[in-house]
Amino acid sequence: KGGGGGGNSNQPLFDSCVSKGETKEAVRLLRAHEDLAISNAQAWAMLDAIPLDVSEENETEQQILVSLTYAALRKRGILRGFGAVPVSPQALPLASKQVDVSALEETISLPMSALTPKGSSVPWTALGLAFCAVEYGAAQQLGYDPMSSVVPLTALAVILDRVVLSGAVWESVQRVVFPKYTRKVIQHEAGHFLLAYLLGCPIQGFFLSAWDASKAGIRGQAGTVFFDNDLSSQLKANKVTRTAIDRYTIVLMAGNA
């Protein structure tokens, strides 16, 4: 379906709201008038126009808007995959809470070693030692005392990067030295994003670097921001079901996949 072609008198108003980034009003019109036409491009524009705000005073309101937008678009057949995978105990591949290793490996068709994070401290330690050796030698060649010049300055730079920029500079160095790191981050966040979408958890946004997160006012590195309406409601009622826990756990573990 394409925007602008509906017979509803509110169609021009809806198209205008979408073009102006007024998602809240556009969602209200969609919910009130089922004969409004909407294109895929307009649907993506509505989602993109929702600002990511995880501040305590605005997060709840934004989550409501995101939930209503997802529901409205899914009803129009645009987000057909959203919530398409059930997470009831009967739908899970392993019904028992206690799973032995052989049964798990047979179910996922992977050895347990594939789920174990690979250590990467050795190359980074070697790189750090090499950098220290280079700057130490350079300081001596220039007639400076390394212990009172480059060493404390380097330590200060590392601390500032970690505290002020959430490690954004160091992460940038990682991407330059190890190009595969960027692909690894993308695949990791794609796992979270895909499973959250399929399991019906609205996604507020995602970041692929610390720089992206800092631009949105969030301290941290790459990540996918999602929420589970059922789990939130159950937590408020002080009664959480296994289904809600399973769904949330699956999304959290999806990055390893």
Side-chain angles (χ1 to χ4, degrees):
K1 292 185 292 185
N8 193 298
S9 60
N10 289 287
Q11 188 70 53
L13 177 59
F14 170 75
D15 294 340
S16 176
C17 288
V18 174
S19 63
K20 293 179 180 178
E22 299 172 355
T23 298
K24 186 175 183 179
E25 180 62 15
V27 170
R28 186 192 69 78
L29 290 170
L30 274 181
R31 288 163 55 85
H33 307 283
E34 294 188 359
D35 57 340
L36 283 176
I38 176 173
S39 66
N40 287 337
Q42 287 180 310
W44 311 145
M46 288 174 61
L47 290 170
D48 287 340
I50 302 176
L52 177 57
D53 188 347
V54 295
S55 60
E56 187 175 348
E57 61 272 15
N58 297 322
E59 185 174 21
T60 299
E61 180 180 354
Q62 194 208 47
Q63 288 182 351
I64 292 174
L65 176 58
V66 173
S67 295
L68 292 175
T69 304
Y70 268 80
L73 296 179
R74 182 186 183 187
K75 186 176 181 180
R76 296 305 180 97
I78 295 178
L79 302 181
R80 291 186 295 271
F82 180 67
V85 178
V87 198
S88 62
Q90 296 77 17
L92 295 175
L94 297 170
S96 175
K97 294 182 180 180
Q98 297 181 349
V99 181
D100 59 74
V101 174
S102 59
L104 179 60
E105 290 181 334
E106 182 180 354
T107 301
I108 64 177
S109 300
L110 288 172
M112 285 300 296
S113 58
L115 303 179
T116 304
K118 305 298 187 295
S120 58
S121 59
V122 175
W124 285 113
T125 301
L127 179 64
L129 291 175
F131 178 78
C132 289
V134 170
E135 67 173 3
Y136 192 94
Q140 286 186 322
Q141 289 294 325
L142 294 174
Y144 295 103
D145 179 10
M147 300 306 297
S148 61
S149 56
V150 293
V151 172
L153 287 176
T154 301
L156 178 61
V158 171
I159 293 174
L160 289 176
D161 177 46
R162 177 61 60 182
V163 175
V164 179
L165 300 176
S166 300
V169 175
W170 179 245
E171 185 186 56
S172 298
V173 173
Q174 285 181 291
R175 294 175 185 272
V176 173
V177 178
F178 300 110
K180 290 184 179 180
Y181 176 78
T182 299
R183 182 174 179 81
K184 182 178 180 180
V185 170
I186 293 175
Q187 291 176 330
H188 179 89
E189 297 309 327
H192 291 308
F193 190 101
L194 177 61
L195 267 296
Y197 179 79
L198 292 176
L199 297 177
C201 296
I203 302 162
Q204 293 175 264
F206 65 92
F207 308 104
L208 297 179
S209 70
W211 291 116
D212 292 339
S214 63
K215 291 176 182 178
I218 297 177
R219 293 183 58 80
Q221 298 187 349
T224 300
V225 185
F226 70 96
F227 59 94
D228 187 333
N229 286 316
D230 289 341
L231 180 59
S232 298
S233 300
Q234 292 174 19
L235 287 173
K236 292 178 182 178
N238 199 29
K239 185 178 181 180
V240 181
T241 63
R242 179 192 170 186
T243 298
I245 294 176
D246 286 340
R247 178 170 51 244
Y248 196 77
T249 303
I250 290 171
V251 177
L252 290 181
M253 293 297 294
N256 290 337

